[in-house]
Amino acid sequence: MQLFVNLPIKDLDRSQKFFTELGFTMFGMAEGMASMIISEQTQVMLLTEPTFAAYVSKEISDATTSTEAILVLGMENPAQVDELVDKALALGATPAGTPQEGGFRYQRGFADLDGHHWEALCLVQPA
C-alpha cells in the first residue's frame, strides 16, 4: 500500500526549490502539482491552491494560522534530525512545535514556506 499526502501550496516553484534543497527528489505530475518522494511507499503531493481546491468541497485551511496535520519524518539518528531542521530553517522555514529530547525520543519541528507543520523524529533505541 502507498500513501499520498496532498498539501495546498501558494507557489509551486518556490516549494519545489525548498524541498529539493532539503534533499528530497521531486517530479512533476501535471499542471499545478508536483510529487515529493519520501520513500518508495510515501509521497507528498504539492498542489497549488487552485488545483487543491478542485479536489475538495470545503474551504482550504490557512496553515499559517491553523494546524490540520503534523507531518512527521522518521530519521535514523539525532544528527539527521538536526541537519534537516537546521537546513529547513536556513532556507526560510520557521520553528514549529516543541523540541523533545529525553527517554528514547529526539524530535524537532519546522513550518515550511506555506506554514505546514513538519517534525523530524528519531526514536533512539536503548543501549
Side-chain angles (χ1 to χ4, degrees):
M1 183 179 304
Q2 292 184 309
L3 174 66
F4 297 89
V5 175
N6 294 273
L7 294 177
I9 51 110
K10 295 189 184 313
D11 182 325
L12 185 58
D13 291 335
R14 180 181 77 150
S15 291
Q16 284 185 284
K17 184 177 188 291
F18 175 80
F19 286 110
T20 298
E21 289 184 23
L22 281 181
F24 293 100
T25 300
M26 305 289 299
F27 68 91
M29 298 293 294
E31 184 68 29
M33 68 174 70
S35 181
M36 178 175 70
I37 307 300
I38 302 295
S39 72
E40 189 174 304
Q41 299 298 321
T42 307
Q43 296 179 36
V44 174
M45 305 298 296
L46 304 175
L47 285 74
T48 60
E49 288 179 345
T51 302
F52 189 91
Y55 291 96
V56 299
S57 59
K58 297 178 186 177
E59 184 178 333
I60 298 173
S61 297
D62 180 352
T64 63
T65 61
S66 62
T67 302
E68 182 173 346
I70 299 173
L71 301 136
V72 181
L73 300 168
M75 310 303 279
E76 292 183 20
N77 58 59
Q80 288 178 336
V81 169
D82 288 337
E83 181 181 351
L84 181 71
V85 174
D86 290 344
K87 188 181 282 187
L89 297 174
L91 292 170
T94 56
T98 303
Q100 304 289 320
E101 185 174 3
F104 303 113
R105 170 185 229 89
Y106 185 76
Q107 181 173 341
R108 291 177 58 202
F110 64 90
D112 67 21
L113 303 178
D114 288 286
H116 302 290
H117 186 155
W118 295 81
E119 292 282 333
L121 167 68
C122 173
L123 297 175
V124 181
Q125 298 299 318

